Amino acid sequence: MARHIPGNLIKHKTMENKVYQMVTDRIIEQMQKGIIPWRKPWHGAEATGEDVAISYTSRRAYSTINQFLLGNKPGEWLTFKQLTERGGKIKKGAKAGIVVFYGKFTYTKETKQDGAEVTVMEEHTIPVLKYYNVFHIEDCTGIESKIKDNQPETTVESIEQAESIINAYVERETLKFQNDKPSNRAYYSPSTDEVVVPMLSQYTEVEEYYSTLFHELTHSTGIKSRCDRGLEEHAAFGSAVYSREELVAEMGSAMVCNAIGISTEKAFRNSVAYLQSWIDALKSDKRMIVWAAGRAEKAVRYMFGEVTEKEVEE
Protein backbone atom coordinates (compact mmCIF):
# COMPACT_ATOMS: atom_id res chain seq x y z
CA MET A 1 0.00 0.00 0.00
CA ALA A 2 1.53 3.27 -1.11
CA ARG A 3 1.00 6.33 1.03
CA HIS A 4 1.42 9.97 0.18
CA ILE A 5 2.17 12.48 2.94
CA PRO A 6 0.61 15.85 2.06
CA GLY A 7 3.06 18.69 1.71
CA ASN A 8 0.97 20.99 3.90
CA LEU A 9 1.09 18.41 6.70
CA ILE A 10 4.88 18.24 6.49
CA LYS A 11 4.99 22.05 6.63
CA HIS A 12 2.76 22.21 9.72
CA LYS A 13 4.70 19.49 11.53
CA THR A 14 7.96 21.27 10.75
CA MET A 15 6.55 24.49 12.17
CA GLU A 16 5.28 22.62 15.23
CA ASN A 17 8.73 21.15 15.87
CA LYS A 18 10.14 24.68 15.80
CA VAL A 19 7.59 25.74 18.45
CA TYR A 20 8.54 22.80 20.68
CA GLN A 21 12.20 23.75 20.28
CA MET A 22 11.44 27.40 21.07
CA VAL A 23 9.59 26.41 24.24
CA THR A 24 12.38 24.08 25.36
CA ASP A 25 15.07 26.68 24.65
CA ARG A 26 13.27 29.27 26.80
CA ILE A 27 12.85 26.85 29.69
CA ILE A 28 16.51 25.80 29.49
CA GLU A 29 17.54 29.46 29.44
CA GLN A 30 15.78 29.95 32.77
CA MET A 31 17.37 26.84 34.26
CA GLN A 32 20.84 27.92 33.14
CA LYS A 33 20.27 31.00 35.30
CA GLY A 34 19.54 28.77 38.29
CA ILE A 35 15.75 29.12 38.05
CA ILE A 36 13.50 26.08 38.41
CA PRO A 37 10.38 27.01 36.40
CA TRP A 38 8.15 24.54 38.21
CA ARG A 39 9.08 25.76 41.68
CA LYS A 40 6.09 28.09 41.69
CA PRO A 41 3.69 27.03 38.95
CA TRP A 42 0.03 27.84 38.65
CA HIS A 43 -2.77 25.64 39.82
CA GLY A 44 -6.43 26.34 40.28
CA ALA A 45 -9.44 27.45 38.28
CA GLU A 46 -9.71 30.92 39.85
CA ALA A 47 -7.06 33.59 39.58
CA THR A 48 -6.85 37.31 40.28
CA GLY A 49 -3.56 38.05 38.56
CA GLU A 50 -1.88 38.94 41.84
CA ASP A 51 -0.12 35.59 42.08
CA VAL A 52 -0.28 34.19 38.54
CA ALA A 53 -0.17 35.28 34.92
CA ILE A 54 -3.63 35.83 33.47
CA SER A 55 -5.15 36.94 30.19
CA TYR A 56 -6.22 40.59 30.36
CA THR A 57 -9.31 39.90 28.25
CA SER A 58 -10.59 36.52 29.49
CA ARG A 59 -9.35 36.97 33.11
CA ARG A 60 -8.37 33.30 33.09
CA ALA A 61 -5.04 32.00 34.34
CA TYR A 62 -2.69 30.65 31.69
CA SER A 63 -1.88 26.96 31.70
CA THR A 64 1.08 25.61 33.63
CA ILE A 65 3.44 25.50 30.65
CA ASN A 66 2.56 29.10 29.81
CA GLN A 67 3.20 30.17 33.40
CA PHE A 68 6.69 28.71 32.93
CA LEU A 69 7.19 30.49 29.61
CA LEU A 70 6.15 33.82 31.13
CA GLY A 71 8.72 33.36 33.89
CA ASN A 72 5.96 32.82 36.49
CA LYS A 73 5.49 36.59 36.40
CA PRO A 74 2.03 37.41 37.78
CA GLY A 75 -0.28 40.01 36.33
CA GLU A 76 -2.17 40.73 33.13
CA TRP A 77 -0.85 39.92 29.67
CA LEU A 78 -2.15 41.05 26.29
CA THR A 79 -1.49 40.38 22.63
CA PHE A 80 -0.47 43.32 20.42
CA LYS A 81 -3.92 43.29 18.80
CA GLN A 82 -5.73 43.35 22.15
CA LEU A 83 -3.56 46.24 23.28
CA THR A 84 -3.98 48.40 20.17
CA GLU A 85 -7.74 47.77 20.07
CA ARG A 86 -7.91 49.41 23.49
CA GLY A 87 -5.76 52.36 22.51
CA GLY A 88 -2.65 51.16 24.29
CA LYS A 89 0.98 51.13 23.18
CA ILE A 90 4.05 49.05 23.93
CA LYS A 91 6.88 50.77 25.78
CA LYS A 92 10.11 51.16 23.88
CA GLY A 93 12.45 48.23 24.43
CA ALA A 94 9.76 45.96 25.88
CA LYS A 95 10.13 42.28 25.04
CA ALA A 96 7.25 39.94 24.30
CA GLY A 97 6.62 36.67 26.07
CA ILE A 98 5.13 33.68 24.33
CA VAL A 99 2.21 31.42 25.18
CA VAL A 100 1.42 28.17 23.42
CA PHE A 101 -1.82 26.42 22.59
CA TYR A 102 -3.03 23.48 20.56
CA GLY A 103 -4.82 24.36 17.34
CA LYS A 104 -6.52 21.96 14.95
CA PHE A 105 -5.14 21.11 11.53
CA THR A 106 -7.22 19.19 9.00
CA TYR A 107 -5.64 17.52 6.00
CA THR A 108 -6.57 15.00 3.32
CA LYS A 109 -4.45 11.89 2.94
CA GLU A 110 -4.36 10.04 -0.36
CA THR A 111 -3.89 6.27 -0.24
CA LYS A 112 -3.42 4.07 -3.31
CA GLN A 113 -3.93 0.33 -3.23
CA ASP A 114 -1.01 -1.59 -4.72
CA GLY A 115 -1.88 -3.08 -8.09
CA ALA A 116 -5.08 -1.09 -8.36
CA GLU A 117 -6.10 2.23 -9.80
CA VAL A 118 -8.39 3.07 -6.89
CA THR A 119 -7.37 6.09 -4.83
CA VAL A 120 -8.90 6.62 -1.38
CA MET A 121 -9.03 10.15 0.05
CA GLU A 122 -9.31 10.34 3.84
CA GLU A 123 -9.73 13.48 5.95
CA HIS A 124 -7.85 13.68 9.26
CA THR A 125 -7.75 16.30 12.03
CA ILE A 126 -4.78 16.48 14.37
CA PRO A 127 -3.72 18.85 17.19
CA VAL A 128 -0.78 21.12 16.33
CA LEU A 129 1.16 23.19 18.85
CA LYS A 130 1.18 26.91 18.03
CA TYR A 131 2.19 30.10 19.82
CA TYR A 132 1.53 33.82 19.98
CA ASN A 133 3.29 36.80 21.56
CA VAL A 134 1.98 38.61 24.64
CA PHE A 135 3.10 41.66 26.60
CA HIS A 136 2.88 42.29 30.33
CA ILE A 137 0.72 45.26 31.27
CA GLU A 138 3.73 46.86 32.97
CA ASP A 139 5.33 47.11 29.53
CA CYS A 140 2.33 48.93 28.09
CA THR A 141 0.94 52.45 28.28
CA GLY A 142 -2.59 53.75 27.84
CA ILE A 143 -4.32 50.82 29.48
CA GLU A 144 -5.43 50.34 33.08
CA SER A 145 -5.18 47.20 35.18
CA LYS A 146 -8.38 45.48 36.28
CA ILE A 147 -6.74 43.81 39.27
CA LYS A 148 -8.22 44.78 42.61
CA ASP A 149 -5.91 45.81 45.43
CA ASN A 150 -7.40 43.49 48.03
CA GLN A 151 -6.51 39.82 48.03
CA PRO A 152 -8.61 37.38 50.08
CA GLU A 153 -6.82 35.90 53.06
CA THR A 154 -6.29 32.18 53.38
CA THR A 155 -8.60 30.83 56.07
CA VAL A 156 -7.26 27.27 56.18
CA GLU A 157 -3.79 26.51 57.49
CA SER A 158 -1.51 24.98 54.85
CA ILE A 159 -0.74 21.79 56.79
CA GLU A 160 -4.39 21.19 57.59
CA GLN A 161 -5.28 21.71 53.95
CA ALA A 162 -2.52 19.33 52.87
CA GLU A 163 -3.82 16.63 55.20
CA SER A 164 -7.35 17.17 53.95
CA ILE A 165 -6.26 16.73 50.31
CA ILE A 166 -4.24 13.61 51.14
CA ASN A 167 -6.98 11.95 53.17
CA ALA A 168 -9.70 12.70 50.64
CA TYR A 169 -7.64 11.37 47.72
CA VAL A 170 -6.45 8.22 49.50
CA GLU A 171 -9.98 7.40 50.68
CA ARG A 172 -11.62 8.13 47.31
CA GLU A 173 -9.12 6.01 45.38
CA THR A 174 -8.80 3.28 48.06
CA LEU A 175 -5.05 3.80 47.76
CA LYS A 176 -2.74 1.89 50.10
CA PHE A 177 -0.81 4.47 52.09
CA GLN A 178 1.97 4.07 54.63
CA ASN A 179 3.57 6.97 56.50
CA ASP A 180 3.54 5.69 60.06
CA LYS A 181 6.60 3.41 59.96
CA PRO A 182 10.32 4.21 59.60
CA SER A 183 11.43 3.96 55.97
CA ASN A 184 14.64 4.65 54.06
CA ARG A 185 12.88 5.50 50.83
CA ALA A 186 9.72 7.00 49.36
CA TYR A 187 8.00 5.30 46.44
CA TYR A 188 4.80 4.43 44.63
CA SER A 189 4.23 0.83 43.54
CA PRO A 190 1.86 0.46 40.56
CA SER A 191 1.59 -3.30 41.09
CA THR A 192 0.19 -2.92 44.62
CA ASP A 193 -1.18 0.63 44.20
CA GLU A 194 0.67 1.71 47.32
CA VAL A 195 2.43 4.91 48.39
CA VAL A 196 5.14 4.64 51.04
CA VAL A 197 6.97 7.61 52.55
CA PRO A 198 9.22 7.99 55.62
CA MET A 199 7.58 9.20 58.81
CA LEU A 200 7.22 12.95 59.32
CA SER A 201 9.66 12.73 62.26
CA GLN A 202 12.40 11.57 59.86
CA TYR A 203 12.41 14.91 58.02
CA THR A 204 14.25 18.03 59.14
CA GLU A 205 11.69 20.27 57.40
CA VAL A 206 7.95 19.63 57.35
CA GLU A 207 7.85 21.12 53.84
CA GLU A 208 10.16 18.35 52.61
CA TYR A 209 7.78 15.74 53.95
CA TYR A 210 4.78 17.13 52.11
CA SER A 211 6.66 17.77 48.86
CA THR A 212 7.91 14.16 48.92
CA LEU A 213 4.44 12.84 49.69
CA PHE A 214 2.76 14.82 46.92
CA HIS A 215 5.52 13.68 44.53
CA GLU A 216 4.56 10.05 45.17
CA LEU A 217 0.84 10.78 45.11
CA THR A 218 1.32 12.40 41.69
CA HIS A 219 2.97 9.16 40.53
CA SER A 220 -0.08 7.26 41.76
CA THR A 221 -2.30 9.12 39.27
CA GLY A 222 -0.36 7.60 36.38
CA ILE A 223 -1.96 4.16 36.28
CA LYS A 224 -4.54 3.22 33.67
CA SER A 225 -7.59 3.54 35.93
CA ARG A 226 -6.69 7.15 36.76
CA CYS A 227 -4.83 9.45 34.35
CA ASP A 228 -3.25 6.63 32.31
CA ARG A 229 0.35 7.71 31.67
CA GLY A 230 1.40 4.10 31.01
CA LEU A 231 2.98 3.76 34.42
CA GLU A 232 2.39 0.02 34.78
CA GLU A 233 4.06 -1.07 31.54
CA HIS A 234 6.61 1.52 30.48
CA ALA A 235 8.11 3.44 33.40
CA ALA A 236 11.26 1.33 33.88
CA PHE A 237 14.09 3.11 35.72
CA GLY A 238 16.33 5.03 33.34
CA SER A 239 13.91 4.93 30.40
CA ALA A 240 12.65 7.99 28.54
CA VAL A 241 9.17 7.36 29.96
CA TYR A 242 10.66 7.20 33.48
CA SER A 243 12.31 10.62 33.00
CA ARG A 244 9.07 12.13 31.78
CA GLU A 245 7.16 10.60 34.68
CA GLU A 246 9.67 11.97 37.18
CA LEU A 247 9.23 15.44 35.72
CA VAL A 248 5.44 15.09 36.00
CA ALA A 249 5.82 14.15 39.67
CA GLU A 250 8.25 17.03 40.33
CA MET A 251 5.84 19.52 38.79
CA GLY A 252 2.78 17.96 40.41
CA SER A 253 4.31 18.19 43.86
CA ALA A 254 5.31 21.82 43.32
CA MET A 255 1.84 22.68 42.03
CA VAL A 256 0.10 21.26 45.10
CA CYS A 257 2.53 22.89 47.52
CA ASN A 258 2.16 26.23 45.79
CA ALA A 259 -1.63 25.94 45.67
CA ILE A 260 -1.97 25.41 49.43
CA GLY A 261 0.82 27.73 50.53
CA ILE A 262 3.59 25.31 51.53
CA SER A 263 6.99 26.95 51.03
CA THR A 264 8.71 25.56 47.96
CA GLU A 265 11.95 27.26 48.95
CA LYS A 266 12.45 24.69 51.72
CA ALA A 267 10.84 21.82 49.83
CA PHE A 268 12.68 21.69 46.51
CA ARG A 269 16.26 21.23 45.47
CA ASN A 270 18.08 23.63 43.17
CA SER A 271 21.60 22.24 43.14
CA VAL A 272 23.72 22.61 40.01
CA ALA A 273 23.63 18.84 39.48
CA TYR A 274 19.85 18.74 39.82
CA LEU A 275 19.34 21.55 37.35
CA GLN A 276 21.87 20.16 34.87
CA SER A 277 20.23 16.74 34.89
CA TRP A 278 16.94 18.26 33.77
CA ILE A 279 18.63 20.54 31.25
CA ASP A 280 20.23 17.47 29.67
CA ALA A 281 16.88 15.64 29.65
CA LEU A 282 15.07 18.55 28.01
CA LYS A 283 17.78 18.92 25.38
CA SER A 284 17.36 15.28 24.38
CA ASP A 285 13.56 15.53 24.16
CA LYS A 286 12.15 18.87 23.04
CA ARG A 287 8.58 17.73 23.65
CA MET A 288 9.16 16.70 27.26
CA ILE A 289 8.43 19.99 29.02
CA VAL A 290 5.12 20.59 27.22
CA TRP A 291 4.02 16.98 27.70
CA ALA A 292 4.99 16.84 31.38
CA ALA A 293 3.41 20.18 32.28
CA GLY A 294 0.08 19.17 30.77
CA ARG A 295 0.12 15.77 32.49
CA ALA A 296 1.11 17.29 35.84
CA GLU A 297 -1.72 19.79 35.65
CA LYS A 298 -4.21 16.98 34.98
CA ALA A 299 -2.69 14.82 37.74
CA VAL A 300 -3.13 17.56 40.34
CA ARG A 301 -6.67 18.27 39.23
CA TYR A 302 -7.34 14.55 39.56
CA MET A 303 -5.98 14.52 43.11
CA PHE A 304 -8.17 17.52 43.89
CA GLY A 305 -11.20 15.71 42.46
CA GLU A 306 -11.60 18.20 39.60
CA VAL A 307 -11.10 15.88 36.60
CA THR A 308 -14.30 14.72 34.88
CA GLU A 309 -14.99 11.15 33.78
CA LYS A 310 -14.66 12.27 30.16
CA GLU A 311 -11.17 13.68 30.81
CA VAL A 312 -10.13 10.41 32.48
CA GLU A 313 -11.20 8.46 29.40
CA GLU A 314 -9.39 10.77 26.96
Side-chain angles (χ1 to χ4, degrees):
M1 180 182 292
R3 291 187 176 181
H4 172 68
I5 301 176
N8 57 348
L9 175 59
I10 295 174
K11 179 181 177 181
H12 274 78
K13 296 305 290 184
T14 300
M15 292 176 63
E16 183 185 48
N17 285 334
K18 289 182 179 179
V19 177
Y20 274 110
Q21 190 63 61
M22 181 190 306
V23 169
T24 301
D25 289 345
R26 294 205 175 199
I27 297 298
I28 289 175
E29 183 180 354
Q30 291 184 43
M31 297 181 75
Q32 288 174 333
K33 295 177 181 178
I35 300 169
I36 303 175
W38 52 87
R39 168 166 286 170
K40 191 181 179 183
W42 162 80
H43 174 76
E46 298 181 359
T48 64
E50 294 177 321
D51 294 319
V52 297
I54 67 171
S55 164
Y56 182 86
T57 55
S58 72
R59 314 309 296 171
R60 290 196 296 267
Y62 288 109
S63 66
T64 298
I65 186 62
N66 287 324
Q67 297 290 334
F68 296 167
L69 291 172
L70 298 176
N72 289 315
K73 184 175 181 178
E76 298 151 306
W77 296 75
L78 307 89
T79 64
F80 179 77
K81 181 180 179 182
Q82 291 167 347
L83 179 63
T84 54
E85 285 177 346
R86 290 164 176 77
K89 294 183 179 180
I90 300 169
K91 293 180 181 178
K92 185 177 181 180
K95 294 184 178 180
I98 67 168
V99 292
V100 295
F101 66 99
Y102 280 102
K104 292 182 178 179
F105 174 66
T106 301
Y107 67 96
T108 301
K109 183 172 66 176
E110 176 183 325
T111 302
K112 290 184 178 181
Q113 301 290 338
D114 291 335
E117 296 182 357
V118 179
T119 299
V120 180
M121 304 298 290
E122 298 176 332
E123 191 172 87
H124 299 265
T125 299
I126 59 173
V128 178
L129 191 69
K130 300 181 180 181
Y131 80 98
Y132 55 90
N133 294 314
V134 289
F135 294 87
H136 195 276
I137 195 169
E138 290 180 354
D139 294 321
C140 306
T141 59
I143 188 166
E144 293 185 3
S145 172
K146 298 178 183 179
I147 296 176
K148 297 179 180 179
D149 293 333
N150 297 325
Q151 184 177 6
E153 295 181 359
T154 301
T155 56
V156 181
E157 291 293 330
S158 297
I159 302 306
E160 291 179 359
Q161 194 171 358
E163 289 294 333
S164 177
I165 292 168
I166 295 163
N167 293 334
Y169 174 68
V170 169
E171 182 177 350
R172 184 178 74 242
E173 298 297 321
T174 61
L175 181 70
K176 295 178 182 177
F177 177 51
Q178 178 184 304
N179 68 338
D180 57 353
K181 296 179 181 179
S183 176
N184 292 324
R185 63 193 185 109
Y187 64 89
Y188 168 67
S189 170
S191 60
T192 59
D193 197 25
E194 179 180 24
V195 165
V196 175
V197 293
M199 298 173 65
L200 176 59
S201 59
Q202 291 182 254
Y203 292 83
T204 56
E205 299 282 354
V206 67
E207 292 86 355
E208 292 178 342
Y209 167 75
Y210 283 106
S211 68
T212 300
L213 178 48
F214 284 121
H215 180 108
E216 302 306 332
L217 290 179
T218 301
H219 277 314
S220 75
T221 67
I223 61 175
K224 189 173 183 179
S225 62
R226 294 181 185 129
C227 296
D228 192 13
R229 295 191 299 275
L231 204 61
E232 297 98 328
E233 301 90 0
H234 307 297
F237 181 80
S239 68
V241 174
Y242 177 85
S243 294
R244 283 187 170 198
E245 177 61 26
E246 276 301 296
L247 188 53
V248 170
E250 287 280 285
M251 291 180 181
S253 179
M255 290 169 72
V256 178
C257 288
N258 183 62
I260 62 180
I262 290 178
S263 172
T264 53
E265 289 294 329
K266 294 181 179 180
F268 292 94
R269 299 162 292 174
N270 64 345
S271 66
V272 173
Y274 172 77
L275 284 165
Q276 189 58 51
S277 67
W278 284 119
I279 289 173
D280 292 341
L282 297 184
K283 284 182 177 179
S284 65
D285 182 358
K286 62 177 176 288
R287 292 173 179 258
M288 178 186 284
I289 189 71
V290 176
W291 184 92
R295 274 31 176 215
E297 193 170 314
K298 183 176 180 180
V300 172
R301 289 181 58 232
Y302 188 92
M303 278 191 281
F304 281 32
E306 298 173 357
V307 173
T308 64
E309 289 185 10
K310 181 180 178 181
E311 287 179 291
V312 173
E313 293 172 359
E314 290 177 347

